[in-house]
Amino acid sequence: MEKQNLRPNKKEKIALTLFYNRFYDLYDELSHQDFFKNEPSYRFYKIREIFSVYKELLGYEPIKYHIQLIKNTRPPLEGVIVSELFGFVRNLLLHFPVFDNWEDVYISKDLATWNKAGTIHKFLLKSSQIKIDDKGTIHYRIWEKSKKLMTDISINFPEKYDDSQIFLKDIISEKEGIKLCISFMKQILDTQVVSDEDEDIQIMSQVYIPKM
């Protein structure tokens, strides 16, 4: 009788251990209340790292399956956020290593297609068409139990995609936005581990704010 192909296999365990340990170390640092007292360039390096580690783990088959499940069952656009948007951020920071702080990072159609029309171009083309009440804004609310703090956070897909500059800070704010992003990342990655840990940051799902 043949053995079933169990996941993770030996090779996957080696890689996953490295990636997960690195992710959790970064998560612990970025979620600490003192993280944003660091210099902008240091914060930028750490944020870039956590997006890179997460993007590598998105290629793992069970995580890809879970992302697809989210797209089929969760609130609209959540699957786009945790896969395509986070992948876009990683690719932008990787393929344009010319910035040293979050506030300065930008992209335009000319830049995205300067060499070829790749994944960055495709994402911006798609995301600029996403609209709720004629806006590309998705509202979230998160609850931090340790602080007894509720925070409203927005992700803003670009309203248009042309030769004008699109700043990353306008899509995801550095402080509140990154808190939401890393919480989403951990939520996705934790589906592959057994843990009794009680999460401090809870995402309260999408919040609909009607157009006035």
Side-chain angles (χ1 to χ4, degrees):
M1 185 175 181
E2 294 184 2
K3 291 183 178 180
Q4 293 181 341
N5 293 324
L6 299 177
R7 310 295 291 270
N9 59 38
K10 182 180 178 181
K11 290 191 295 184
E12 290 171 342
K13 284 181 180 179
I14 295 171
L16 289 170
T17 297
L18 290 173
F19 282 123
Y20 266 80
N21 285 344
R22 179 61 174 159
F23 175 84
Y24 287 135
D25 285 345
L26 288 166
Y27 176 86
D28 288 343
E29 181 174 2
L30 269 66
S31 60
H32 194 279
Q33 61 182 1
D34 291 334
F35 174 72
F36 284 93
K37 294 179 181 179
N38 292 302
E39 292 295 319
S41 59
Y42 177 84
R43 301 197 309 262
F44 184 69
Y45 167 73
K46 293 292 185 175
I47 292 169
R48 183 175 60 195
E49 285 292 288
I50 202 167
F51 274 96
S52 294
V53 173
Y54 176 78
K55 179 63 167 63
E56 291 301 319
L57 286 167
L58 283 183
Y60 181 49
E61 197 66 35
I63 293 177
K64 289 168 66 175
Y65 174 82
H66 185 71
I67 295 290
Q68 190 57 50
L69 186 64
I70 290 174
K71 290 182 176 181
N72 293 338
T73 61
R74 296 287 294 161
L77 302 177
E78 193 160 299
V80 173
I81 291 169
V82 300
S83 55
E84 285 101 321
L85 175 60
F86 292 173
F88 157 75
V89 174
R90 177 265 189 185
N91 290 336
L92 178 57
L93 301 183
L94 176 69
H95 296 300
F96 291 91
V98 294
F99 305 102
D100 61 8
N101 72 81
W102 189 264
E103 296 292 302
D104 290 345
V105 181
Y106 71 88
I107 191 66
S108 66
K109 193 171 186 178
D110 283 343
L111 279 175
T113 58
W114 79 273
N115 187 29
K116 64 178 182 179
T119 56
I120 293 174
H121 166 74
K122 291 176 183 176
F123 173 79
L124 290 170
L125 203 60
K126 174 183 177 179
S127 64
S128 61
Q129 303 304 311
I130 294 173
K131 296 288 184 288
I132 296 177
D133 282 341
D134 302 322
K135 295 288 185 180
T137 301
I138 313 298
H139 299 280
Y140 276 91
R141 186 167 289 156
I142 65 171
W143 169 250
E144 295 177 79
K145 289 190 290 185
S146 62
K147 300 177 184 177
K148 299 189 182 304
L149 177 66
M150 187 78 78
T151 305
D152 290 319
I153 302 171
S154 296
I155 289 177
N156 304 290
F157 290 108
E159 293 295 312
K160 58 182 180 178
Y161 176 45
D162 51 28
D163 294 337
S164 59
Q165 295 177 348
I166 300 170
F167 280 86
L168 188 55
K169 66 178 181 179
D170 295 330
I171 300 175
I172 303 169
S173 64
E174 185 184 7
K175 190 172 183 180
E176 287 79 11
I178 292 301
K179 186 185 297 184
L180 175 65
C181 290
I182 65 173
S183 299
F184 259 137
M185 292 177 188
K186 189 172 186 296
Q187 190 178 84
I188 297 298
L189 299 185
D190 280 354
T191 62
Q192 305 303 310
V193 298
V194 177
S195 175
D196 294 327
E197 180 184 0
D198 188 19
E199 294 296 333
D200 181 55
I201 300 176
Q202 295 182 344
I203 302 170
M204 309 302 287
S205 194
Q206 289 179 23
V207 179
Y208 178 66
I209 300 178
K211 181 172 64 175
M212 302 301 290

